[in-house]
Structure formats: C-alpha cells, structure tokens
Amino acid sequence: MLMSVTTTLAQAQTDGTPEPAITKIKNDLKSYGDIDLYVFKDRAAFLAIMDDTLGLDNIASPEKAFAKLPRSPFTITGRKSGKQIPSCQIFVPANIAPQSGNEIFAQLMRGWFGQSLTYQSSAEQTFEWLIHHEARHCMPEHYGDGDAKSHADEVDADIFAFNALSKTIKNPNGLAADIIAFRMITAALFADASHMTGLSVKYGLTAIDPQEMLTAEQEIVAFRSARKLVFARARALATGVNPTNRELTRAVTELREEIDQGGLNPPSPLVSEILMDLDDAIAHLAPKLHQSVATR
C-alpha cells in the first residue's frame, strides 16, 4: 500500500461542493496513500486539470484520447516527463457529485429506473462506495490489461470498497443489497465486458459458493446471453422504435415468470440466475415501476 498522503480537491472546478460530504471522503481516502480527488464540471475543466497534472504535451493526441468522457467516477495514473506522477487521480463528473442533487446510481443506470431510487442504505453511501472502489484501482496490483484481469480487478474493487465502509456504517447488509442490485442491472443491461461482474460480486458479498468455479469468461458469456434475451423481448413488446423503461421492465418480469414456470430454457443455469436476480434488482431499486408492470 502507498504510504504518504496528499488528498486534495480541485474545488475551483466545481459549483460549490458542500464541505461535509467531500471532507469525509477526503479523510477516508487518506489511508490509501497519495490520491487527488477532482470534481470537474465540463470537458474544459477536465483538460485543464490533466494539463496541470500530467501535461497534455505528454499525451499523444489528447483531444482524441479524451474525446468521450466517462459518465462515472474514474481513475487515472500516468507519467509526466518520464516519471510516475506522485498521486493517483480520481475524477468525478460534477453531475453525479453529492452537491449535484442527482443520485449516482440513477445516473449510471441512465435514468431507466427513475431519478429517485429506493435504497436499503442511502444515495450518499452508494456514492462513497464508488469512490472507495476507485481508490482500490489506485493501488499498484490493479495496474494491468486484459479482459480477465480487468474483470477480476472490478470484482475486487467492489468488495474492497464494501469492506472498507462496512466497518463504520450502521447497515452494511443494506449497502451490500444495494450494490448487488446495481451491479446486476448494469452488468445485464449496460456494462462492458470488464464490468459484467454481478454474479461474482453477489457471491463475494453474500458468502454464497457457486455450484462450480465461475471464470470471467463464463460470467461475461452468461451476461451477454441474458442481455440478448431481455432486449429481444423488450423490442417485441415495444410500441415505439425503442423500448421504454416500462417495456424493458415488463420484459424482465415476463422472462422471470417463464423461468419460474419452467417455460423458458436459457442457454445455461447462469443465465437463469441472472434473469431472476435482475428482476429482483429492479424490484429492489425501483419497486413502484416494477409493481406497475409485474406479471407475477
């Protein structure tokens, strides 16, 4: 683990981030080493920070490299003038920071399930969890490439961040339930291969032992198969060009019902598990939406 500590916030890039929320996170990050936490409000602000810390002249085609900014918190490590920069940098888009008024889970799920979700913990704790997740990526053992390595790092970061928070929060089981629901939804519907981690995260946070060893490749294949089934059903239900959130949710509930009744035989038991967990996840975070379309 890194030993020295300099955790800062580029408040000039934000629109008045409240001190209590960020101060707590800054203090929590100190135990992880040299981490700079930046909240940026737009592309210009992001590039200004990058120029100050890494130096855009050290990056080949920075306009192309940062043409599309991620929606979620992300971590950057790098070199300046041939030397490793002294800190790991965590960037948070201002529209998902605590002062924005937006719930980070709702934003990362693209608003499909509403802007105000239902939690067993809280929107604030889920934000903290994602920042601790990013802090795990700052540690040297998370430097590496490849789908399998990236997939394993994502699972590890989720569980690491939960363990860090569970020591101090009042309802760790509630946070675990929120995390599992979030990862099941994103892995099944939106995420790239490295973040198709819902099953692994569920097993890690609930101490469930899968019936057989689950590899990254198996999990990714299973989530891709589940996604194909969901969107095929949603498109069949859609009355417009693209499925609405209600049509997507109905597709999931119908598939779940068919599995329960033995009328659907997905490619593998893992796909059945994902579809059932996905239905439960939507009911967890968006119960009113789920109840409005549930067929069971």
Side-chain angles (χ1 to χ4, degrees), residues 12 26 110 197 241 270 277:
K26 288 169 60 179
R110 307 180 183 182
T197 59
V241 176
L270 289 177
D277 286 350

Side-chain angles (χ1 to χ4, degrees), residues 144-159:
D145 298 301
D147 284 346
K149 176 68 163 62
S150 295
H151 185 276
D153 286 350
E154 292 301 327
V155 175
D156 178 69
D158 276 359
I159 295 172

Side-chain angles (χ1 to χ4, degrees), residues 34-291:
D34 288 339
I35 298 176
D36 288 327
L37 175 63
Y38 296 104
V39 178
F40 67 93
K41 61 183 178 181
D42 54 27
R43 177 177 175 75
F46 172 76
L47 291 177
I49 300 168
M50 291 298 294
D51 193 33
D52 184 53
T53 56
L54 282 178
L56 292 180
D57 56 340
N58 293 315
I59 301 171
S61 304
E63 289 294 325
K64 183 177 180 180
F66 304 116
K68 187 176 181 180
L69 297 180
R71 298 167 177 260
S72 62
F74 62 101
T75 299
I76 291 179
T77 58
R79 305 179 73 84
K80 182 175 182 179
S81 302
K83 297 181 180 179
Q84 184 70 33
I85 58 175
S87 69
C88 179
Q89 300 174 357
I90 299 176
F91 287 84
V92 180
N95 70 316
I96 56 175
Q99 85 281 5
S100 68
N102 296 323
E103 295 177 7
I104 193 167
F105 273 14
Q107 293 295 308
L108 297 186
M109 294 193 299
R110 307 180 183 182
W112 269 100
F113 305 102
Q115 298 299 323
S116 182
L117 304 177
T118 299
Y119 304 91
Q120 286 189 22
S121 61
S122 67
E124 292 74 21
Q125 284 188 352
T126 57
F127 179 87
E128 288 186 58
W129 168 72
L130 280 168
I131 299 303
H132 283 265
H133 169 109
E134 292 304 318
R136 180 68 178 112
H137 289 324
C138 286
M139 300 177 191
E141 54 266 44
H142 272 218
Y143 299 171
D145 298 301
D147 284 346
K149 176 68 163 62
S150 295
H151 185 276
D153 286 350
E154 292 301 327
V155 175
D156 178 69
D158 276 359
I159 295 172
F160 171 91
F162 170 77
N163 287 338
L165 293 178
S166 66
K167 299 172 184 176
T168 57
I169 62 177
K170 295 181 179 179
N171 185 15
N173 290 338
L175 178 59
D178 293 337
I179 292 167
I180 293 167
F182 172 71
R183 284 302 184 206
M184 290 304 305
I185 290 173
T186 55
L189 302 180
F190 313 127
D192 62 15
S194 66
H195 287 76
M196 290 181 178
T197 59
L199 292 174
S200 292
V201 170
K202 179 182 73 170
Y203 299 152
L205 294 182
T206 60
I208 293 175
D209 289 325
Q211 293 183 348
E212 57 186 54
M213 285 295 294
L214 180 64
T215 67
E217 182 180 8
Q218 288 172 323
E219 186 165 14
I220 292 167
V221 167
F223 271 109
R224 283 175 172 161
S225 296
R227 184 177 298 182
K228 184 176 180 180
L229 287 170
V230 169
F231 281 99
R233 179 64 60 91
R235 285 191 292 270
L237 293 170
T239 56
V241 176
N242 296 310
T244 65
N245 63 339
R246 289 175 58 83
E247 290 163 343
L248 181 67
T249 303
R250 182 176 290 281
V252 173
T253 64
E254 285 188 2
L255 292 169
R256 167 67 179 273
E257 184 176 47
E258 290 172 20
I259 291 172
D260 289 343
Q261 295 177 350
L264 181 69
N265 294 307
S268 76
L270 289 177
V271 177
S272 294
E273 183 178 357
I274 288 169
L275 292 172
M276 295 171 72
D277 286 350
L278 176 59
D279 185 54
D280 290 341
I282 296 172
H284 176 90
L285 291 174
K288 291 183 179 179
L289 173 63
H290 186 268
Q291 290 166 9

